[in-house]
Amino acid sequence: DGMTFSQAALAEPIAVCWHAVKLGRRAIEGGAKALVIGGGAIGLGSALSLTAQGTTDVVIAEPNEARRDYLKAVCQQEAVAPESLGDACDFDIVVDAVGYDATRASASAQVRPGGVILHIGLGHGNAGFDIRRITLQEITVIGTYAYTMLDFHETVAAMIDGRLGDLNWSEERGLSDGEKAFADIRSGLVKAPKVILNPSL
């Protein structure tokens, strides 16, 4: 009650993120500084979940300038170009919300020794992880997908009490516009992190 169709529809993707963040924070006993690679729905959901669960310093690395601007202006997130990160290697938790060879390489490079990489993205490829560094510096890698019913209930509770923000960061389109929506996302033309297809439009 009290949520719009578009807001309520975000419960499922955010629950994926909520579950991942719980696993990561448990593995590192909290974690005060996090990097999220990718500013789509899973990336933004991860950033919001990290903040809601107590991570105080969260940065989103997003290559699309228009989406970065949207994340800053509409979602009040710190969003940066991936190339601006440098080689600090000081993030307690790194979330790969994309899942490409290049983003796995970036996650491997940016996590601090003893830190945690959460691999949620299901892009493509199998390369990218710096296995030597992961081994020598005791970096934990967690593959994470979906959620439990408890995670889902906790996510909805956090949505209702405002811990995940106002949730007005989706774009609604009609169901018949689905194919074009995917094409626009792939082409970098969609600023909003999530497109919701509404059959009533």
Side-chain angles (χ1 to χ4, degrees), residues 91-167:
F91 291 97
D92 301 310
I93 298 172
V94 177
V95 178
D96 182 352
V98 183
Y100 289 161
D101 293 350
T103 57
R104 282 187 287 273
S106 180
S108 292
Q110 293 299 327
V111 68
R112 69 162 174 79
V116 174
I117 296 172
L118 297 172
H119 192 271
I120 308 176
L122 291 175
H124 61 74
N126 298 307
F129 281 132
D130 183 345
I131 298 302
R132 182 174 177 81
R133 179 166 188 257
I134 287 169
T135 302
L136 293 176
Q137 298 189 347
E138 297 191 352
I139 293 165
T140 300
V141 178
I142 300 174
T144 173
Y145 184 73
Y147 47 84
T148 67
M149 283 308 297
L150 175 60
D151 296 321
F152 190 84
H153 287 296
E154 289 174 353
T155 299
V156 173
M159 292 170 71
I160 290 169
D161 68 22
R163 283 180 287 148
L164 293 167
D166 65 12
L167 304 173

Side-chain angles (χ1 to χ4, degrees), residues 7-115:
Q7 289 170 330
L10 296 174
E12 194 280 337
I14 296 176
V16 172
C17 309
W18 189 270
H19 172 75
V21 168
K22 280 174 64 176
L23 294 176
R25 285 178 52 81
R26 188 182 306 142
I28 202 168
E29 297 181 1
K33 186 173 183 181
L35 170 67
V36 177
I37 300 172
I42 297 299
L44 177 57
S46 296
L48 294 170
S49 296
L50 281 158
T51 301
Q53 292 184 39
T55 300
T56 55
D57 185 353
V58 180
V59 177
I60 300 174
E62 167 56 50
N64 183 322
E65 183 178 4
R67 179 166 282 173
R68 276 198 313 273
D69 292 343
Y70 186 98
L71 290 167
K72 293 175 189 176
V74 177
C75 307
Q76 290 78 53
Q77 297 296 307
E78 183 180 352
V80 301
E83 60 270 18
S84 72
L85 291 170
D87 55 1
C89 303
D90 64 349
F91 291 97
D92 301 310
I93 298 172
V94 177
V95 178
D96 182 352
V98 183
Y100 289 161
D101 293 350
T103 57
R104 282 187 287 273
S106 180
S108 292
Q110 293 299 327
V111 68
R112 69 162 174 79

